[in-house]
Amino acid sequence: DKKRFDRFQNGPTPYTSAADIALNKQRASFSAPTGNLTVDYRATDDINLYARAAHGYRSGAFNARQATNAATNFGLVPFDNEKIWTYELGFKTEFGGKLRLNGAVFHSIYSDLQVAVPVPIVGSGSFGTVVANAGKANYTGFELEAAYQFNEIFSIDGNLGYTRKKFKEYMTLDDSPARRPTNIASVVKSSYSPDWTATIAANARIPIGGDAHATARIGYNYTSDFYLFGNPITAPFQRETNGDARGLIDAQVKFDGFGSGGTLEDVSLLLWAKNVTNEKYIVRSVDFGQLGFAYTVFGEPRTFGATVEVEF
């Protein structure tokens, strides 16, 4: 990736001096080898085993809110690539056309991990975020998914996932006059990443005459608690703004297959309800750090709706 970044102001006042303009016009190139290797083994007609290794990267870039300083000739500095090695062992099975069971364990190694860091916004008196390279982290976990078809009408499906996150290196500057680099990996948590996730749902597809069907689904989705801001040093309200564990129930029923022929292929009606039990849960928050306050945004309450689709 080759990137060019031209910034004409950082705050309410546009740059006018040649020195400021030069510091805010930057170029950078980012690259890394990527690819994957997968080995499959067909144990039986119903069981497939596999192993996979892959290397990838997320390109670096520039931060629009980074401050520059003409007096010290400090210009825009790009953050670097985020790189990952990931290894996975798994199986995929299907028995008798009724039971499907898949699973995998994985281990992912991140380096130059890109993280969002709260910083003051120049000229505004508030805080924003910039992206920086924190260091190294390991993610280890498993995933299971299953589905069972009882008959032509009824089926169930679900999945379960667990991820353990461990920072190995998270570099920042301490608050001493020398601003020494310090590894704070022992106190940092992973952001927007719950340990546990799970879903289970029941389905029914019922013929109601001709080509018409009623398809119903009710599902339960669980997410364990998780941090929205991982670094307690820059986010003093880390615990107050975290996302609590929540279990949400969604339901829907769709009536379709009512086409009249000719140019009208199909007419369908979808009735749906989200968060049926009216669970209160946090989906986003902002920790303003040194300003001394934070706020949270809650998810949508119980919501009902209907959708009509017409195909020509």
Side-chain angles (χ1 to χ4, degrees):
D1 296 291
K2 292 184 178 180
K3 296 187 177 181
R4 168 181 171 175
F5 192 87
D6 295 340
R7 186 174 63 177
F8 302 98
Q9 66 187 72
N10 188 22
T13 306
Y15 299 126
T16 56
S17 73
D20 280 329
I21 293 173
L23 291 175
N24 288 276
K25 292 192 174 202
Q26 299 293 341
R27 310 287 185 274
S29 296
F30 308 95
S31 64
T34 62
N36 68 86
L37 175 66
T38 302
V39 177
D40 291 285
Y41 173 64
R42 178 70 67 175
T44 70
D45 289 341
D46 299 318
I47 301 174
N48 186 59
L49 309 176
Y50 70 91
R52 181 175 184 267
H55 183 257
Y57 91 109
R58 179 188 295 176
S59 177
F62 294 93
N63 286 297
R65 288 176 171 171
Q66 180 211 321
T68 56
N69 190 325
T72 59
N73 197 35
F74 183 72
L76 287 174
V77 178
F79 54 89
D80 205 355
N81 304 330
E82 175 182 290
K83 297 174 284 292
I84 181 175
W85 276 103
T86 185
Y87 307 93
E88 182 178 343
L89 296 173
F91 62 89
K92 296 182 181 294
T93 66
E94 186 167 347
F95 302 101
K98 287 183 172 290
L99 174 63
R100 185 177 72 248
L101 181 62
N102 302 329
V105 295
F106 62 87
H107 180 66
S108 299
I109 304 170
Y110 289 89
S111 58
D112 291 323
L113 189 69
Q114 294 175 5
V115 297
V117 180
V119 296
I121 299 175
V122 177
S124 69
S126 63
F127 268 62
T129 58
V130 298
V131 177
N133 296 104
K136 301 176 182 178
N138 292 346
Y139 282 43
T140 304
F142 68 84
E143 297 174 343
L144 292 172
E145 63 176 21
Y148 187 78
Q149 188 76 38
F150 291 96
N151 50 45
E152 293 182 353
I153 296 176
F154 297 106
S155 66
I156 61 171
D157 59 78
N159 60 67
L160 175 68
Y162 171 76
T163 306
R164 179 181 180 272
K165 290 81 59 176
K166 178 67 175 177
F167 279 98
K168 309 295 287 185
E169 180 182 274
Y170 195 112
M171 302 304 298
T172 187
L173 300 177
D174 65 19
D175 57 2
S176 69
R179 304 291 287 166
R180 294 183 297 267
T182 303
N183 185 6
I184 59 170
S186 61
V187 300
V188 174
K189 308 296 183 181
S190 181
S191 303
Y192 290 90
S193 181
D195 289 348
W196 291 94
T197 57
T199 66
I200 186 168
N203 311 279
R205 182 169 172 80
I206 304 170
I208 54 177
D211 294 329
H213 290 81
T215 305
R217 178 179 175 86
I218 182 168
Y220 174 80
N221 304 276
Y222 173 78
T223 302
S224 65
D225 61 335
F226 57 92
Y227 290 95
L228 286 93
F229 290 87
N231 185 349
I233 297 175
T234 57
F237 299 99
Q238 182 193 68
R239 293 189 179 277
E240 291 81 1
T241 58
N242 72 337
D244 295 328
R246 77 289 305 264
L248 305 179
I249 297 176
D250 298 334
Q252 68 177 43
V253 57
K254 183 176 183 179
F255 302 93
D256 61 356
F258 295 98
S260 61
T263 58
L264 187 62
E265 295 291 336
D266 192 18
V267 177
S268 65
L269 170 65
L270 175 66
L271 305 175
W272 53 266
K274 296 182 179 180
N275 192 8
V276 174
T277 57
N278 204 30
E279 184 86 3
K280 294 179 175 62
Y281 60 100
I282 294 173
V283 294
R284 187 167 60 88
S285 65
V286 177
D287 191 326
F288 287 92
Q290 298 175 12
L291 295 182
F293 67 95
Y295 74 79
T296 56
V297 177
F298 286 82
E300 292 186 355
R302 182 189 297 118
T303 308
F304 300 93
T307 303
V308 176
E309 295 182 355
V310 179
E311 295 184 10
F312 296 93

